[in-house]
Amino acid sequence: MAKSFLSIEGLAKRFPAPSGGGGPLTVFEDVSFSIEKGEFVCIIGHSGCGKSTIMNVLAGLDEATEGGVIMNGKEVRGPSLDRGVVFQNYSLLPWLSALKNVTFAVKARHKNWSREEVLAHSYKYLEMVGLSGGAELRKPSQLSGGMRQRVSIARAFAIQPELLLLDEPFGALDALTRGTIQDELLKIWRGTNQTVFMITHDVDEAIYLADRILLMTNGPEARVAESVEVGIPRPRSRDEIVEHPHYYKVRNHLVHFLARRSKELAGTKSTAPGGKPETVRFGAEDGEEPARPSIYAINQ
Amino acid sequence: MEGLSKPLPLRVRSIIVSVAILVCALGLWELSIPPQQAAGELTEYELLTGGGAPKAGIPPPSQVMTKAWEQLSDPFYDAGPNDKGIGIQIGYSLYRVLTGYFLAAAVAIPLGFLIGMSPLMYRALDPYIQILKPISPLAWMPLALFVIGDSQASAIFVIFICSIWPMLINTAFGVANVRKDWINVARTHELGSLKTAFIVILPAAAPTILTGMRISIGIAWLVIVAAEMLVGGTGIGYYVWNEWNNLDLTSVIFSILMIGVVGMILDAIFGAVQRAVQYAE
Ligand SMILES: Nc1ncnc2c1ncn2[C@@H]1O[C@H](COP(=O)(O)OP(=O)(O)O)[C@@H](O)[C@H]1O
Ligand SMILES: [Mg+2]
């Protein structure tokens, strides 16, 4: 069996019992999955199930209580420029201009580059996310949420990491901006051989962007229960994607999982060998009625 | 009238009120002081008991302003140990304040970084800071005079010891409370600890550090006056005390005003630096 680009093996995160009483808390356990080079993977689950914690472990910012992460055959120990992170709250340095937020990262990556090289490279990525013409000279506090997010994405892409980790990157954006930045993200990703691991709350966003969607059960003792293959060819367009026979099947499956099964499966053990999530794949049987559009509300 | 149709901007109105208060206060002051009797009108007895000397009353503002004009038109004259221009006296005080202050900054800021970055050092040094901080800086004076010997250096030491605490505490607090997210940005970009300190922690904590520095310079300027009254020789504090001994209340009032003006300028400078390092999140 060929080794995956990234493999997460038996990850668990536990917190000791609080001093006020009560037992120790297991946020998640037996989390195992792998990601291939160039894949775009989303992970969905309810708040508090441990998605951000998993991502921080992948980033090397946090340590798991059990298990480990292997990337390119090497165990992940501590953060690295090979893994770029777009944090949920952008995490731009507020005393630096948008441009300097990017040049700071580029300088960290390419220590022997000249000033001109650093600037040119930074501008390339700022332009890619549509931030130029003066806006790049402003401080984050003088930019809109959407623009800040673009800077944060430009910063992560400019260091050209092998693995890009995104924590609910579009959560705070309005629908219109969100759509634009999603398209920019896809455009940049397609032009490179980067691998993306993204946390989202949004089922439609996940289907539009991902090759594969990991589903987490509710915490505590959460785990990654399923891996749903989207199976819709790229490039995808927003209008046409809903007409694809897989679309509503995948969507219904996700919504149903979030609404019901994430709770039912909470605390259960995996039956698959090695704790790997169960793969869910929808075949495109001809003539079959597309499933009824879902009207579930997702309670987060 | 056209001018009244639109209300003046707040800034202009506040200036008008300030000037009005000044004029009223000076006017009341001037009027409340009985005019000095001319020497010829004094009885022999009054002359003998010093009734005509300036201590008979607080000088009116007009006299203080004349004094100010005299002093400020030649601030740097030097006519012996007890007769130096106000500029020279303030210069001595500033020299002591700034020397003691920057020595304190050179110790407090690196030490504050250490304390802020290491929870161990934070806890280990906390009891010492808590005990040393509330000690009146002047309480150190006898010990300083005994150990250091030199009165100049003792005054500088007193400034050092009084300015160190706000800077140390604010630096430690600012450094300890730098947002975890920003530290994580440094970590994901593989910055070493020195680079993290200079590129992320220092600018992040700068507003808090500058607040401490601004508090310290204010305290240092308060303390130098008292310290110089004790050690004597030169400086604005000594000048005030010396003029009191000369019973020259006009000079005393004038130097009190100068102490205020210099303190205000020092505060304004640090305020400007503080605004320069401020950032909005
Ligand atoms: N220091 C801590 N002590 C105890 N529990 C913690 C601590 N930090 C995080 N948790 C728990 O870890 C869980 C996972 O958090 P997180 O990874 O942020 O979830 P998600 O991103 O899926 O919303 C939360 O339920 C939270 O209560
Ligand atoms: Mg989260």
Side-chain angles (χ1 to χ4, degrees):
Chain A
M1 191 185 92
K3 268 280 172 214
S4 299
F5 164 66
L6 181 74
S7 86
I8 286 89
E9 289 164 9
L11 226 53
K13 182 77 180 177
R14 300 182 215 282
F15 288 103
S19 50
L25 171 73
T26 298
V27 180
F28 53 78
E29 59 186 350
D30 290 333
V31 167
S32 305
F33 58 91
S34 50
I35 297 179
E36 301 309 319
K37 183 118 193 111
E39 241 191 327
F40 197 129
V41 174
C42 280
I43 187 163
I44 292 190
H46 285 287
S47 275
C49 68
K51 306 180 294 296
S52 297
T53 311
I54 292 179
M55 208 194 80
N56 283 336
V57 172
L58 295 189
L61 293 169
D62 197 354
E63 273 175 34
T65 318
E66 285 162 30
V69 177
I70 291 163
M71 182 165 122
N72 274 336
K74 268 192 303 223
E75 179 157 20
V76 166
R77 284 185 190 281
S80 143
L81 282 160
D82 289 333
R83 280 163 275 128
V85 190
V86 174
F87 296 95
Q88 190 164 2
N89 49 14
Y90 324 137
S91 290
L92 298 174
L93 303 178
W95 54 89
L96 297 179
S97 68
L99 175 63
K100 291 232 168 100
N101 264 287
V102 179
T103 55
F104 137 83
V106 175
K107 271 187 239 161
R109 176 61 145 188
H110 305 282
K111 293 190 178 64
N112 49 1
W113 276 14
S114 70
R115 231 181 81 84
E116 289 71 32
E117 281 173 303
V118 169
L119 264 185
H121 188 80
S122 306
Y123 264 106
K124 182 175 140 199
Y125 281 88
L126 281 165
E127 273 158 23
M128 220 179 254
V129 297
L131 255 175
S132 50
E136 78 279 9
L137 300 177
R138 284 194 255 154
K139 301 265 169 76
S141 59
Q142 300 160 321
L143 299 172
S144 70
M147 289 161 115
R148 284 183 219 179
Q149 189 58 74
R150 287 162 197 247
V151 179
S152 162
I153 289 174
R155 179 176 69 186
F157 275 94
I159 61 168
Q160 295 162 302
E162 283 184 79
L163 174 65
L164 201 61
L165 301 164
L166 304 133
D167 191 352
E168 296 187 40
F170 311 124
L173 305 185
D174 61 278
L176 209 63
T177 317
R178 174 189 279 242
T180 325
I181 303 186
Q182 281 170 351
D183 290 336
E184 278 158 6
L185 172 62
L186 280 179
K187 204 170 68 196
I188 300 171
W189 169 71
R190 236 183 287 130
T192 59
N193 194 23
Q194 278 159 326
T195 308
V196 179
F197 179 79
M198 173 169 145
I199 299 173
T200 176
H201 262 135
D202 184 334
V203 169
D204 294 298
E205 176 173 89
I207 302 173
Y208 181 60
L209 296 174
D211 295 315
R212 208 146 55 81
I213 300 166
L214 301 173
L215 297 175
M216 279 188 86
T217 63
N218 290 1
E221 287 159 54
R223 63 187 172 91
V224 177
E226 289 181 6
S227 158
V228 179
E229 296 192 352
V230 177
I232 300 175
R234 296 180 194 268
R236 299 170 185 167
S237 94
R238 273 171 214 287
D239 331 323
E240 288 161 24
I241 193 174
V242 291
E243 282 153 30
H244 193 277
H246 284 182
Y247 183 79
Y248 279 109
K249 287 183 197 166
V250 173
R251 194 177 192 284
N252 280 351
H253 186 84
L254 301 184
V255 170
H256 184 64
F257 183 92
L258 286 175
R260 298 272 307 272
R261 293 181 46 240
S262 62
K263 207 179 308 153
E264 289 164 9
L265 289 171
T268 61
K269 292 271 177 255
S270 165
T271 50
K276 292 266 172 193
E278 208 174 304
T279 301
V280 179
R281 192 182 287 122
F282 294 92
E285 296 98 61
D286 278 312
E288 196 192 345
E289 281 274 302
R292 190 172 48 82
S294 157
I295 48 164
Y296 294 118
I298 306 165
N299 253 331
Q300 285 156 6
Chain B
M1 255 177 20
E2 208 194 344
L4 288 177
S5 59
K6 223 193 287 171
L8 291 163
L10 183 64
R11 208 170 64 83
V12 177
R13 278 184 290 157
S14 67
I15 290 174
I16 292 172
V17 174
S18 286
V19 171
I21 291 173
L22 181 70
V23 169
C24 287
L26 291 182
L28 279 175
W29 178 4
E30 184 85 45
L31 290 175
S32 65
I33 290 163
Q36 293 273 325
Q37 285 169 299
E41 293 166 29
L42 298 171
T43 62
E44 198 174 342
Y45 175 75
E46 277 174 324
L47 276 172
L48 279 173
T49 54
K55 85 165 175 189
I58 301 248
S62 52
Q63 211 172 311
V64 176
M65 278 188 262
T66 318
K67 182 83 191 174
W69 177 252
E70 248 173 61
Q71 282 283 347
L72 291 176
S73 51
D74 184 17
F76 297 110
Y77 77 89
D78 189 349
N82 278 341
D83 192 9
K84 294 187 203 302
I86 187 83
I88 291 183
Q89 302 290 17
I90 289 177
Y92 274 113
S93 299
L94 279 177
Y95 159 72
R96 289 182 191 128
V97 163
L98 296 180
T99 308
Y101 177 82
F102 282 110
L103 283 176
V107 173
I109 294 173
L111 192 61
F113 250 80
L114 177 71
I115 295 175
M117 287 174 101
S118 151
L120 173 77
M121 294 308 285
Y122 204 116
R123 281 161 179 265
L125 291 179
D126 192 54
Y128 300 107
I129 295 174
Q130 297 307 332
I131 290 178
L132 292 174
K133 185 180 62 165
I135 298 173
S136 164
L138 293 174
W140 292 96
M141 188 61 96
L143 193 61
L145 284 169
F146 179 74
V147 174
I148 304 173
D150 180 48
S151 63
Q152 275 279 341
S154 299
I156 292 173
F157 173 77
V158 166
I159 295 304
F160 171 86
I161 206 78
C162 77
S163 8
I164 202 163
W165 309 116
M167 286 196 269
L168 181 66
I169 291 164
N170 269 45
T171 304
F173 181 81
V175 167
N177 287 288
V178 171
R179 289 235 321 248
K180 193 88 194 304
D181 299 339
W182 300 335
I183 305 286
N184 279 346
V185 168
R187 293 180 64 203
T188 53
H189 290 86
E190 293 184 28
L191 299 190
S193 33
L194 208 61
K195 273 198 171 167
T196 304
F198 280 102
I199 297 182
V200 177
I201 298 177
L202 187 61
T208 321
I209 297 175
L210 253 297
T211 304
M213 293 182 77
R214 194 175 173 184
I215 296 171
S216 279
I217 196 76
I219 294 177
W221 188 246
L222 289 179
V223 167
I224 193 63
V225 175
E228 285 171 345
M229 284 179 178
L230 281 179
V231 297
T234 47
I236 190 78
Y238 167 72
Y239 181 81
V240 175
W241 200 248
N242 195 37
E243 296 305 326
W244 159 239
N245 286 335
N246 293 341
L247 292 177
D248 183 356
L249 279 182
T250 315
S251 291
V252 168
I253 293 174
F254 166 65
S255 42
I256 288 174
L257 284 176
M258 288 311 292
I259 292 170
V261 168
V262 173
M264 186 182 76
I265 292 171
L266 285 175
D267 187 65
I269 293 170
F270 279 84
V273 179
Q274 195 181 19
R275 275 191 297 283
V277 299
Q278 201 75 42
Y279 53 85
E281 278 184 41

